Amino acid sequence: MRGWEKVGSSRSNLDRAGSTATTNRITSTVRLGRVEPQAPGHRTIFCNDREANFLVRFKVLSFHLYKSLALLCLLYADSEDSAKFQAGHNASPPPPPPPPPLEEGESCWKESHVPRAWLRVLRDVVKRLIFSLTSGVRGNSISTTKYNVLTFLPKGLFEQFRRVANLYFLTISILSTTPISPVSPITNVAPLSLVLLVSLIKEAFEDWKRFQNDMAINNASIDVLQGHKWVEIPWRKLQVGDIVKVKQDGFFPADLLFLASTNPDGVCYIETANLDGETNLKIRKALEKTWDYLTPDKASEFKGEIQCEQPNNSLYTFTGNLIIQKQTIPLTPNQVLLRDFVLSVMLEKRIPRASEDCNGEMVLGPDDRETSIGHILEVGCSLRNTEYIVGAVIFTGQETKVMMNSMNVPSKRSTLERKLDKLILTLFGALFLMCLIGAIGSAIFINRKYFYLGLTADVEDQFNPDNRFLVFILTFLTLITLYSTIIPISLYVSIEMIKFIQSTQFINKDLHMYHVETNTPASARTSNLNEELGQVEYIFSDKTGTLTRNLMEFFKCSIGGEVYGTGITEIERGAAQRNGGNVGKAQKSPGLVHEKGFNFDDARLMCGAWRNEPNPDTCKEFFRCLAICHTVLPEGEESPEKIAYQAASPDEAALVTAAKIFGFFFYRRTPTMIHVCESHVEKMGKVEDMSYEILNVLEFNSTRKRQSVVCRYPNGRIVLYCKGADTVIYERLADGGNELKNITREHLEQFGSAGLRTLCLAYRDLSSSSYESWNEKFIQAKSSLRDREKKLDEVAELIEKDLTLIGCTAIEDKLQEGVPSCIETLSRAGIKIWVLTGDKMETAINIAYACSLINNDMKQFIISSESNEIREAENRGDQVEVARIIKDSVRKELKKYLEEAQQYLRTVSGPKLALLIDGKCLMYALDPTLRGMLLNLSLNCTSVVCCRVSPLQKAQVTSLVKKGARKITLSIGDGANDVSMIQAAHVGVGISGLEGMQAVMASDFAIAQFRFLSDLLLVHGRWSYHRICKVITYFFYKNLTFTLTQFWFNFQTGFSGQRFYDDWFQSLYNVIFTALPVVILGLFDKDVSAKLSKKYPELYKEGIRNAFFKKRVVGIWAFFSFHQSLVFYFFVSTSSSSSQKSGKMFGHWDVSTMAFTCAVVTVNLRLLLMCNSITKWHYNNEFFTIYVLMSTICFYLTFLLVPIAALFGDFIFQGVQRWFFPYDYQIVQEIHRHEPEHSSSMQLLEMGPPLSPDEARSYAIAQLPREKSRHTGFAFDSPGYESFFASQAGVYVPQKAWDVARRASMRSRSKLPPKS
Amino acid sequence: MAGSSSAVAGSTAPGRNPNRPKYSKFSQQELPACQPILTPKLVITAFTIIGIIFIPIGIASLSASQDVVEISNRYETECIPEGYRSTKDDKIQFIQNPQSNKNCTRTLTVPKHMKQPIYVYYQLDNFYQNHRRYVKSKSDKQLRSPGSESDTSDCKPENNANGMPIVPCGLIAWSLFNDTYSFTRNNYVSLTVNKTGISWKSDREHKFGKGVYPKNFQSGGLIGGGSLVSSIPLSEQEDLMVWMRTAAMPTFRKLYGKIEFDLQANDVIEVSLKNNYNVYSFNGKKRIVLSTANWIGGKNDFLGVAYITVGGICFFLALCFTALYLKKPSRLQDPSYLTWNTNPGPL
């Protein structure tokens, strides 16, 4: 008990130490129990004071020392017990420990008798010391390497021998050095060392690359305050407490405390794409106390003390205090700027490997590297819209949050490889059986009657007839060594080599997967999973950035019942092609404007031409609505060409841009006014500056689904402009004008089915009096303290009514190029595509339509939490109740839908099914009790769309299918929110070429565009799968054949374990004679060309079915190798039993050489027989193997007979199989047999940058069969929505677009000289 | 995004794409290749060709094999006096007794004209020359060079005799076959047996050294087989060389010598042999074989039969396939046979 009290006291000491920010020496010790003293709960950082920080580190060090010593005492406590038992012993005392800094120390240090435990503790102490020492030396440098010079060999070898096969061969090698071995050690040692050497070289090479990348990052430079000026030092020399300056578009070199910014308000804008994949800007705000420390002179006066938590990996939390001028100010994550640049791949990708000077010579000097790094840092961008900021370093190097987060990417193994393990196990079984038979035989055989064997009394154990059991055991070991060739040692290394070349030479260099615009080739980040790509059945895709470009373009509109815009969307084009329609070239109007966010082509509206339309007044209202009703901020010079719009959602920016191009140029916003420069309004060519007074802004939120602005014209007219979802706008329209409403609704449906995002625009003229009376209520609501949001909504309802419909806009959420056709191809290949997105359901559905994942013929099952029942429950606010209600409704719906789905499945031509589920429901559906139902339902659906899902849920859904359905899954995404899903799936694919690299870092393959997936899967994946299957089965076959001849021979040698083949033959068989040709096959074999692979995506199904590595296939191979080994052995031994021409007889080695030659030739011929395509590389190898010439006719005769007799069965089998039970690929081969393989090389060489979006669109046709859709494609991203999850995780994000707008406007105002 | 890439490109080499993979036929997997497809026609043709080639070869080698004249006579029991034949122990006792008279006579009749050279073989059955213990029980170094006389580590238990290394050491040499044969034709003409050139040239020149002479051979307690004349170097001891080229199978023949006279049909050959070698311990058999050889070597019907069989089957299959092919044309080349066309429905 006493001990426990001590623990308590030591704890409280620690706590006190924490609160007073001093590290008191703890003066008590622990005697009982295994309670370790905890690390101090916080750390203290003295800003701008390196010496003080060094002291802190020293204290940490002493803490670790203390901890170690405490451990020693603990150990002593243990040893007291053990000492009792060992009292009699007088073992040598341990070396006297240094006097401990403990009061009760003396009692601790007595003689101990547990040296091993001592060693353990000693090791621990040393480790801690090294850690605390080096953590200072390393500063801000990071290391992602696996090995260093010292650890490479032991650690690398350890890694190698973790592989069972290698361990097995090590055992065999050791066995083969003992006398029981029938073969010389070289047989096993040589291949093993070769294999190890190759693997180690590969490891070393990869680690070297990582090291170089680390160095490049560590040497990037940063401004640090030294004395009274900024000095540039490399990142790695940065230390905790340093004051650094980060310039615009620069990276944060470490985790910083944000002190001051050039912006007023002490805010800065940062981009966190690398960290969490969100591309929108985030705002960080410094503490007011520190705003002034901006200039070097001022900053050098800054003497703060930061107390903060220990380094941890939580990106969204930070707790700490800043003690400045004896004041303690709490810190929030809002003041912390996280380092987000660690990613070696970024450098790898973006640094040109070497620059070429004018003579064409390669130059790569340190200077080059320096500049390119500097350049990259600019390209990446973390700090935005801020000239520079000043910060204090909190965590450096490995302690930064992003490094703490750097997960050890779980190394994935392909399914095929796991199946291969099973095959190897089977082979072990066979080996065991063979050895057992042989060993029993030998124990029976051995007998003194064979006097010529010299089995005298003192014969060695293995041949001693007096102890047959020992004979059995030893022969068993002998035979294991002899038959060890049954496990192909070079298999793994061959496969690895093949895969390595496949990924580095084929996948990485495929021009079909090279994206010109972003200058990004595909990249296989691991070579383990090539063949897995050939078996994927489920694809989980992110939406934004993967399927879509996150680029909204104003595409069409309907004004006053007239459709404008002649563009054709991808979906329409796809639909037209499916219907056999003719997709001709559309006329492009001259002077077509194309700008980011605007892709609209209709001469009737451009350049003021709208004035000649039948309804110019409606048009005017339309454009004004676009120009006024928004929360966009203009930025930069106030000219139409140079202005940039900052918007919370890209939709809004697109609408304002559209207004600008139509001649309603919104150029300035003040808190009360919107300035619009209107042209061609009254008269063509006339430009007029208008300023509208903004009276009220009724903001957007997801329940309102609309946004309104009340504004006053210069002439006093008060108008409410409203834009929003068609459903909510239509409810609030004034009566009458039904014709317009119907026509517009028709248009909405048209747009919707074309995959466009629609918004309805409406306005309402207000009289001054009615406005004033409403405004009073509004102000009241706004100033109310309780339920403000709700009251504001209610007030808004009062004025947003009796609206007049103007028209609607259609924005194209631009899909990535070629997405619909790629999805179509993939689904023909039997791959099911699920979309998992953080977006709202409407947006997700919209995209699913756009990607033709869902269409109107499908039966849609929607499980949404947006039902009235749930909403009411939520309003009541009882969380437990809400959870119960949601769970109940989810269960009910799942049950209902599942029954329905099964009913549809039973009918022959039932509709295809689609499941749509949102994140909240999914959370409950993933509950273990409902999981099965969800899986059942979703596996029956052709398409599944999950919206509003969190990153974790993405991973859960992925593993649900991976583990629940045991299907092979692939996840593709581009942002950090996809990382978990990418890692959860069998194969993770990252979209590269954009800013965020987290997804790519976690991925196994990185491609620049979603559409490259079809190349990656259907071509590379399929080929890899085919090839690897062939290689594996072939290895299996050839080694089994070889070993079985040994086995048969052993029956004739009295089971003595005599080897049939020469040592060298045996070792070279695997390494040279047969390994090289099969590698060639693994690299070059092609069943059908790349073009046909894509033309017949259905061929991919063979991979999904795993048609080439099934038990049956392996069984057939085993049968034939059995047959062939018998043929080799008996044909050769029988035909060589007679004398040859000169009367001489063949000896053992003559026969075995003959058999060996036959085997090598046959096995290689068999390889040729399984080749689908034979390149010149193949010939060379075949000739190489035919090397042995002997001088007898008999040899030649045998030589001709045996391979043919051996392959006879295979040949018949293959012929018959092909004839009567063909694989699909064989049929395709036949169909296209007479076509010369069309080489696309010339096209690729000529291929310039692909068509620009305009050109691509020019393929459009004017009129297409219009499809009606119940789905109108409403979508309007709520501003700030992107940060939804961040905010859930507790990060501060601006919740309101208006918030962003206000801040930015203040900033821009301050920059611009006042005009008046 | 476009900006960043263009900036990178711009900084290094304007207008080029530094990351663009270089085109090569290898990396684009467009190496020229031919596609061997096992079409029914090809299969039929291949079978026919194999048949056409194999059957003549088979017939030729079978007839060659038939031309070979071979006389074989088993003698291990007959060459033991009646009184010792009853049990195994008696036989062993007889053969191990140095005093017993081991002379024995066998009579062979020549069935057909035999052209010289006529090879004389002895054939042993159930003798495991390929046993692991036996095979390794020799010292290649010792056999090759006079200096490595004492290199006898592999030779146990026949490595030393009376403390001196045995040359040649090991079980193989120790168990040297030592029956001897002499021949008389039709009772009056004695046929000389030429015992030179019966070993492989490579053995004479490389494996057995010229300066290596037998030492302490068969001087230990147990005598395993024949002894060697210690004045002749190993490279001229052809019997030893033949014996030491171990056989692959437990039934084997070894060349004893050559008779360089033609033998006529119905000649009676009398073989006087000394039955010295002990095969009785392990129930082995001994035969003496006289055989001619032609281009195919000794008598070996197997090759011919195998060729004819394989060729015949090929021919037969070719016929069958042709019939099948005519009756039911190939399913291939018809897209409707693709699995996704034949059985629609979810995978």
Side-chain angles (χ1 to χ4, degrees), chain A residues 453 509 1150 1197 1224 1241, chain B residues 23 28-29 133 245 307 339:
Chain A
L453 297 180
K509 292 196 175 171
D1150 308 307
L1197 282 182
D1224 288 335
S1241 55
Chain B
Y23 174 82
Q28 299 308 313
Q29 311 197 50
R133 183 172 166 80
R245 196 177 180 93
Y307 264 104
T339 46

Side-chain angles (χ1 to χ4, degrees), chain A residues 570-754:
Chain A
E570 289 268 358
I571 305 128
E572 286 174 307
R573 194 172 307 139
Q577 272 163 355
R578 249 166 284 145
N579 296 341
N582 174 29
V583 184
K585 267 197 171 183
Q587 283 289 316
K588 233 193 319 178
S589 14
L592 176 74
V593 189
H594 189 259
E595 201 174 306
K596 190 187 172 198
F598 187 76
N599 182 15
F600 177 84
D601 178 23
D602 198 327
R604 288 178 294 173
L605 290 187
M606 311 293 277
C607 302
W610 52 270
R611 296 176 69 251
N612 305 326
E613 285 297 296
N615 45 5
D617 288 335
T618 323
C619 288
K620 215 188 306 178
E621 291 297 345
F622 184 84
F623 300 142
R624 284 210 175 112
C625 180
L626 291 185
I628 295 170
C629 178
H630 56 77
T631 55
V632 174
L633 282 179
E635 202 180 58
E637 214 175 295
E638 292 178 353
S639 76
E641 292 77 31
K642 296 207 174 141
I643 201 156
Y645 292 118
Q646 286 285 343
S649 92
D651 297 66
E652 286 217 294
L655 292 176
V656 178
T657 309
K660 176 181 86 179
I661 291 164
F662 292 133
F664 289 75
F665 171 41
F666 157 66
Y667 65 91
R668 193 187 306 158
R669 175 193 287 279
T670 66
T672 52
M673 302 291 268
I674 276 185
H675 299 266
V676 180
C677 177
E678 300 182 352
S679 47
H680 318 301
V681 177
E682 305 305 326
K683 218 175 103 190
M684 284 299 277
K686 196 178 164 205
V687 178
E688 199 179 349
D689 259 348
M690 299 280 279
S691 42
Y692 300 92
E693 193 184 343
I694 302 298
L695 300 172
N696 303 91
V697 177
L698 307 173
E699 285 177 30
F700 179 92
N701 67 34
S702 58
T703 41
R704 275 163 49 77
K705 293 183 179 174
R706 63 191 181 274
Q707 173 188 45
S708 303
V709 167
V710 185
C711 67
R712 195 193 325 252
Y713 277 48
N715 62 11
R717 179 187 173 208
I718 297 175
V719 189
L720 170 115
Y721 285 113
C722 181
K723 67 178 180 194
D726 52 345
T727 47
V728 287
I729 299 284
Y730 268 73
E731 283 170 16
R732 290 168 178 77
L733 289 181
D735 295 334
N738 282 335
E739 197 186 345
L740 176 66
K741 281 184 200 168
N742 288 339
I743 291 175
T744 309
R745 182 173 288 286
E746 227 169 81
H747 293 164
L748 280 166
E749 284 172 359
Q750 218 175 72
F751 294 155
S753 68

Side-chain angles (χ1 to χ4, degrees), chain A residues 1165-1209:
Chain A
L1165 280 177
R1166 183 70 187 85
L1167 187 74
L1168 271 189
L1169 209 58
M1170 71 193 282
C1171 279
N1172 278 308
S1173 62
I1174 300 176
T1175 66
K1176 61 178 182 206
W1177 296 63
H1178 289 80
Y1179 303 130
N1180 297 345
N1181 265 291
E1182 290 302 314
F1183 287 123
F1184 174 68
T1185 52
I1186 303 171
Y1187 71 105
V1188 186
L1189 286 176
M1190 291 179 76
S1191 59
T1192 59
I1193 286 279
C1194 174
F1195 172 75
Y1196 289 110
L1197 282 182
T1198 317
F1199 189 72
L1200 181 64
L1201 174 70
V1202 171
I1204 288 184
L1207 288 180
F1208 187 65

Side-chain angles (χ1 to χ4, degrees), chain A residues 1142-1144, chain B residues 116-122 181-183 190-199 204 236-239 242 254-261 289-291:
Chain A
S1142 64
K1144 297 181 183 101
Chain B
Q116 64 101 358
I118 296 156
Y119 298 102
V120 180
Y121 301 95
Y122 56 91
Y181 311 110
S182 57
F183 301 88
S190 110
L191 296 168
T192 46
V193 178
N194 182 359
K195 297 196 59 138
T196 56
I198 55 171
S199 61
R204 282 198 298 273
E236 287 167 32
Q237 306 260 15
E238 295 209 32
D239 276 334
V242 168
K254 284 190 183 286
L255 191 56
Y256 180 79
K258 293 178 273 188
I259 299 173
E260 284 160 335
F261 299 98
V289 179
L290 273 72
S291 169

Side-chain angles (χ1 to χ4, degrees), chain A residues 55 258 381 422 441 620 732 741 829 843 867 912 1185 1224:
Chain A
L55 264 173
F258 179 27
C381 294
K422 274 188 204 156
K620 215 188 306 178
R732 290 168 178 77
K741 281 184 200 168
T843 323
S867 69
K912 287 190 171 175
T1185 52
D1224 288 335

